[in-house]
Amino acid sequence: VTILFCLVDLICIGIWVAVFQVSVTAQGFDIAAFVMLAVIIKVFEVVYIPVAVYLNELENHRTEEAHTNALVWKIFAFQAINYYAPFFYVILVQPHSTGCPEVVGFGADCVMAIRMELI
């Protein structure tokens, strides 16, 4: 189920990229696109965590420690993908699809563009 939620999350982020044609630019980000991304991330988090807890309760773990570890790994795996997929898109996919913007003093560099926006 965690893998299914991760795939659906990645599909939604792909749709978000297609709809907003998101790219890091030297001029900045489109605020509406990133508000929508924040909403997508929070909705998936609110939906997934109770599902993970419920499904973890249905599993037959031998110890309480195994039960807790299974839940932690499920939530960690999902949240890592949920929160970091947009950054991976900008760093790994965007250079090959829309290209990286020119950053003064660094040339076309997606990583540096993200750094400049986060400062």
Side-chain angles (χ1 to χ4, degrees):
V1 174
T2 301
I3 294 171
L4 178 65
F5 266 89
C6 289
L7 290 175
V8 171
D9 186 37
L10 290 174
I11 290 169
C12 286
I13 290 173
I15 292 169
W16 169 76
V17 168
V19 167
F20 288 101
Q21 296 178 353
V22 174
S23 65
V24 178
T25 63
Q27 292 78 31
F29 295 114
D30 178 16
I31 192 72
F34 288 94
V35 168
M36 182 58 78
L37 177 63
V39 169
I40 290 170
I41 288 171
K42 292 313 274 182
V43 166
F44 270 96
E45 180 182 336
V46 167
V47 170
Y48 177 72
I49 290 178
V51 170
V53 169
Y54 175 73
L55 292 175
N56 204 51
E57 293 295 327
L58 294 178
E59 295 175 0
N60 188 19
H61 297 285
R62 288 185 174 203
T63 64
E64 187 67 31
E65 181 181 0
H67 177 271
T68 303
N69 287 340
L71 180 61
V72 167
W73 278 108
K74 283 181 184 77
I75 292 174
F76 171 78
F78 174 75
Q79 287 187 344
I81 291 173
N82 192 33
Y83 286 109
Y84 296 115
F87 295 112
F88 287 129
Y89 167 79
V90 170
I91 293 170
L92 301 174
V93 177
Q94 184 178 340
H96 305 292
S97 60
T98 60
C100 296
E102 292 288 328
V103 178
V104 177
F106 295 98
D109 186 3
C110 288
V111 175
M112 190 51 65
I114 289 176
R115 284 184 183 170
M116 298 303 285
E117 287 297 329
L118 292 175
I119 291 178

